């Protein structure tokens, strides 16, 4: 096949695992069959509405394709003796035979190229599928003046009104291989690979290692002064060389994580239309109602395991960014692969466009989304429901769907609606909660006591705030009956529980208080509160601001999820430290500009007393001669491991206990060396190992709860998790050889 083809070409490709050729699509109608011949002796292809027979049974596909291609070469007057593999056979000969029904007596009369075939019946059938008018195949195919090559496939002769087929060769070689980000290795292709895959002359003669490529990329990225330029450079790399992108990101995660994700991704989303280069992921809009399943089928990868979806209404702390919010699913899934080892081919970023209420975007000529006010109510719900159903239809029961950056009024109800019918979670609610809980548990050796000994005050009562509050109450309630006992000995001495008796979730909530935009959440405001805030409405006098609430409640843990920078003021921090020796301060909002306070402010105004963690990265702080390393309470500690755990266990639902298991696994990674620096989270350079631990813990809990489907359960889940993780190292490309194979006449 010469890379362009015509209406009677069938496109073939090779299985990544066994290198066996499989039919990828029909040359006449583009219908993609499902042929899983690499795992069976027999494969069956069914193409509804195609020119093929309704089913084609193919015994021993490897031998079938080999002999079939050889037959076609001979029909074209060429000899296959010098061709050593299926791939080069199909690169040399177009495939015509399989398209003309019925596959009977007429089969052997079919030619192999346009100049040899005599198939008026097939031509008429194909043209009958067209909408009418002159087809480019009817145009004259004479050689050009001066003996040039004729326009065989009508690409240059076609007008804008005349349809032609945009053929692309599927078996990667030559320029197609260099332009495919999944397989491109740039100058790292070896001499042998360049010969085998027709790359000679398409690349400079130098062969360099992947490690040297990493150094070059880093040097280029570091040369940019603007963080957004660094982001664009890395995204361009992802689009042209996937493995090199992940190699760079994995090996230098601490340096590049703030660029690929928060805080730089926030600016990238704000300017997404301006920096848009090529589409990445799927874009589903109101225009696509009734056709969502068809859109999912347009995605080239069929074995999708993890989906991150957003409607762009609440992007980080930046508000409604509409379709510009696509930067978040793309960034999240890059971290699923880099940090959690989930294969990039099994991930799918999706943005659902229902409009935007952001006037600046609606007026921006470069905005890429629908130019209308955001749709709500039944129309919105119907589109989301169609999407959720279509995901199951396209990818099965075990596809993990992560809701990302939905506004509060949709986030809670969508999670509640689909948690029992789909494998789904909301990272803003559950992921943020799990990573925050891990930090709190890690801080207990420093503060003493247990979670039940603390009083919590949240600034912000949205998805993140109430999600963290609920997981804290759940963790406290799941602890065993409390009797005085030693729970840990170490650098900070022996810690003991002081509570006795079982604590219920309702009782645990009484130690948790929320402050929203109208002040302290109390019983007196119960009727006007949103549903997710009501469990935390307690009997207290009203407090109209955070400082008043701190003075009244005297919390030992202060957590910020407000998305408003500078709200942990000097007065608030000084008040907290006035009655508590080791207050826990967690400023979790991001990006950095929206953080409730900086690390330096926290240590300065509490006079070095506090235990501080943040949602955005901060440099270490030195106060009175002691250096504190700032742990970043970043969701990327949790969701990659959660995705890994769900995929390796084949989980069909996400249970709250799986997030508790993830939080506990993360907290266990903190040792005395971390605690000596008040560091509540491990360094990011350890995160792939951490994700394997979390994935194993999540998978173990899924098996325990009866939610796992991959049986039997591996004996060593941690080792199994590590073995399943994606490696960004280059793989060697080979050709499939069949030494000594005979080529019989194909039988159908």
């Amino acid at each position: 096949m010469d890379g362009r083809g015509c209406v009677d070409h069938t496109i073939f490709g090779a299985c990544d695992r066994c290198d066996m050729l499989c039919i990828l699509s029909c040359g006449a109608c583009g219908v993609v069959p499902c042929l899983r011949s690499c795992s069976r002796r027999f494969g069956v292809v069914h193409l509804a509405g195609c020119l093929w027979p309704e089913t084609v049974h193919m015994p021993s596909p490897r031998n079938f394709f080999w002999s079939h291609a050889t037959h076609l070469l001979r029909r074209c007057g060429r000899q296959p003796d010098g061709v050593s593999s299926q791939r080069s056979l199909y690169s040399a000969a177009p495939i015509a035979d399989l398209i003309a029904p019925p596959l009977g007596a007429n089969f052997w009369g079919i030619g192999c190229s346009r100049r040899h075939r005599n198939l008026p019946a097939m031509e008429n059938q194909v043209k009958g599928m067209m909408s009418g008018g002159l087809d480019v195949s009817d145009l004259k195919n004479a050689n050009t003046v001066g003996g040039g090559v004729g326009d065989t496939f009508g690409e240059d002769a076609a007008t804008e009104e005349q349809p032609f087929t945009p053929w692309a060769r599927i078996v990667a070689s030559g320029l197609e291989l260099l332009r495919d980000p999944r397989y491109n290795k740039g100058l790292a292709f070896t001499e042998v690979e360049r010969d085998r895959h027709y790359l000679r002359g398409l690349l400079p003669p130098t062969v360099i290692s992947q490690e040297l490529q990493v150094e070059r990329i880093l040097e280029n990225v570091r040369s940019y002064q603007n963080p957004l330029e660094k982001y664009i450079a890395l995204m361009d790399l992802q689009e042209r060389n996937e493995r090199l992108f992940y190699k760079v990101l994995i090996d230098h995660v601490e340096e590049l994580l703030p660029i690929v994700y928060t805080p730089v991704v926030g600016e990238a989303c704000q300017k997404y239309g301006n920096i848009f280069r090529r589409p990445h992921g799927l874009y589903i809009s109101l225009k696509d109602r009734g056709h969502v399943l068809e859109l999912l089928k347009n995605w080239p990868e069929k074995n999708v395991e993890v989906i991150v979806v957003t409607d762009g209404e609440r992007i980080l702390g930046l508000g409604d960014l509409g379709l510009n919010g696509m930067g978040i699913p793309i960034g999240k899934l890059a971290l699923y692969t880099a940090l959690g080892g989930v294969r990039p081919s099994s991930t799918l970023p999706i943005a659902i466009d229902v409009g935007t209420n952001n006037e600046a975007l609606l007026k921006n000529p470069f905005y890429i989304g629908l130019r209308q006010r955001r749709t709500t109510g039944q129309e919105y719900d119907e589109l989301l429901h169609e999407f959720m159903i279509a995901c199951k239809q396209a990818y099965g029961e075990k596809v993990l769907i992560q809701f990302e950056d939905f506004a509060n009024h949709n986030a809670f109800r969508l999670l509640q609606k689909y948690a029992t019918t789909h494998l789904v979670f909301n990272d803003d609610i559950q992921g943020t909660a799990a990573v925050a809980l891990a930090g709190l548990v890690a801080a207990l050796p420093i503060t003493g006591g247990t979670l039940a000994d603390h009083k919590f005050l949240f600034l912000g009562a949205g998805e993140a705030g109430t999600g963290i509050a609920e997981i804290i109450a759940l963790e406290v309630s799941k602890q065993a009956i409390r009797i005085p006992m030693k729970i840990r000995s170490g650098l900070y001495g022996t810690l003991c529980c002081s509570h006795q008796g079982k604590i219920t979730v309702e009782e645990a909530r009484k130690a948790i208080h929320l402050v929203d935009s109208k002040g302290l959440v109390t019983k007196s405001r119960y009727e006007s509160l949103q549903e997710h805030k009501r469990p935390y409405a307690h009997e207290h006098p009203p407090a109209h601001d955070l400082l008043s609430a701190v003075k009244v409640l005297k919390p030992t843990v202060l957590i910020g999820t407000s998305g408003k920078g500078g709200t942990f003021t000097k007065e608030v921090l000084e008040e907290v430290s006035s009655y508590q020796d080791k207050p826990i301060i967690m400023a979790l909002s991001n990006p950095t500009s929206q953080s409730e306070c900086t690390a330096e402010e926290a240590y300065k105004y509490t006079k070095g007393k506090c235990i501080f963690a943040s949602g955005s990265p901060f440099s270490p702080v030195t106060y009175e001669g002691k250096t504190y390393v700032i742990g970043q309470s970043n969701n990327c500690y949790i969701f990659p491991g959660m995705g890994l755990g769900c995929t390796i266990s084949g989980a069909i639902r996400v249970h709250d206990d799986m997030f508790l298991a993830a939080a506990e696994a993360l907290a266990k990674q903190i040792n005395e060396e971390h605690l000596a620096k008040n560091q509540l989270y491990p360094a990011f350079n350890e995160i792939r190992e951490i994700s394997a631990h979390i994935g194993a813990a999540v998978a173990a809990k899924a098996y325990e709860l009866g939610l796992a489907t991959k049986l039997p359960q591996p004996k060593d889940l941690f080792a199994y998790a590590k073995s399943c993780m994606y490696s960004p190292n280059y793989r060697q490309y080979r050709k499939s050889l069949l030494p000594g194979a005979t080529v019989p006449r194909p039988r159908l």
Side-chain angles (χ1 to χ4, degrees), residues 314 408 412 426-430 432-433 436 458 460-471 532 559-562 588-589 635:
R314 193 201 63 84
N408 293 343
F412 288 100
N426 187 306
D427 189 52
D428 302 303
I429 299 173
Q430 296 162 290
T432 301
F458 288 80
E463 299 171 48
T466 54
I468 297 170
E470 192 64 17
I471 202 171
H532 62 274
I559 301 176
T561 60
S562 63
L588 303 183
S589 295
N635 292 22

Side-chain angles (χ1 to χ4, degrees), residues 360-512:
L361 289 179
L362 292 174
K363 295 177 182 178
N364 186 342
F366 301 118
Y367 178 57
I368 61 174
L370 294 176
R371 296 181 183 277
Q372 66 177 57
R373 305 289 294 180
R374 183 171 287 274
T375 295
T376 59
Q378 183 178 351
E379 190 176 8
Y380 177 93
D381 289 345
E382 289 176 353
L383 179 61
L384 263 293
H385 187 67
E386 182 185 356
F387 164 74
M388 296 299 292
I389 297 300
C391 286
K392 262 195 179 183
Q393 292 176 317
Y395 307 121
E397 189 78 24
K398 294 179 286 187
V399 60
L400 177 63
I401 303 172
Q402 177 188 318
F403 289 133
E404 184 67 25
D405 285 347
F406 284 74
N408 293 343
H409 59 274
N410 287 323
F412 288 100
R413 66 184 187 84
L414 289 175
L415 180 60
Q416 184 177 13
K417 180 177 181 180
Y418 294 108
T420 57
T421 60
H422 291 69
L423 183 67
V424 62
F425 75 95
N426 187 306
D427 189 52
D428 302 303
I429 299 173
Q430 296 162 290
T432 301
V435 74
L437 176 62
L440 293 171
V441 172
L444 293 179
I446 304 176
T447 64
T450 67
L451 286 178
D453 296 316
H454 287 277
K455 184 179 287 187
F456 304 86
L457 180 61
F458 288 80
L459 177 62
E463 299 171 48
T466 54
I468 297 170
E470 192 64 17
I471 202 171
I472 291 172
L474 188 62
E475 174 69 10
V476 170
S477 71
K478 283 189 173 291
Q479 293 175 2
I481 295 177
R482 306 180 192 286
I483 58 175
M485 58 178 293
K486 186 171 76 171
I487 62 171
R488 182 165 183 172
S489 297
L491 182 66
Y492 292 90
T494 300
L495 308 177
C496 298
C497 293
S498 58
H499 287 273
Q500 297 186 29
K502 183 71 175 177
I503 297 178
T504 66
V505 173
E506 290 73 20
E507 290 172 333
R509 288 172 179 159
K510 293 179 181 178
I512 303 172

Side-chain angles (χ1 to χ4, degrees), residues 12-29:
F12 283 72
C15 173
D16 288 337
R17 296 186 179 180
C18 67
D19 203 42
M20 184 181 298
L21 278 172
C22 302
I23 301 169
L24 297 183
S25 67
C26 168
C29 65

Side-chain angles (χ1 to χ4, degrees), residues 4 136 139-141 144 149-160 162 164-165:
R4 292 176 294 179
V136 293
L139 300 175
K140 291 184 178 180
N141 188 31
T144 59
V149 178
D151 185 20
T152 303
F153 304 101
E155 293 179 349
D156 298 327
T159 66
E160 292 184 358
Q162 294 171 328
F164 77 96
T165 304

Side-chain angles (χ1 to χ4, degrees), residues 19-78:
D19 203 42
M20 184 181 298
L21 278 172
C22 302
I23 301 169
L24 297 183
S25 67
C26 168
C29 65
V31 174
V32 179
C34 175
L35 175 58
R36 302 183 183 274
S37 56
C38 60
S39 60
R40 300 182 181 88
R41 181 69 175 171
F42 295 91
V44 177
V45 178
H46 177 71
L47 296 167
C50 177
L51 292 182
W52 292 31
E54 186 170 295
T55 58
V56 180
H57 295 269
M58 290 175 285
S60 187
R62 179 183 292 270
N63 293 333
F64 169 78
F65 288 134
W66 180 266
S67 57
H68 188 201
T70 304
H71 167 73
L72 291 177
L73 278 174
R74 287 172 174 161
R75 294 280 295 177
C76 293
R78 302 183 59 181

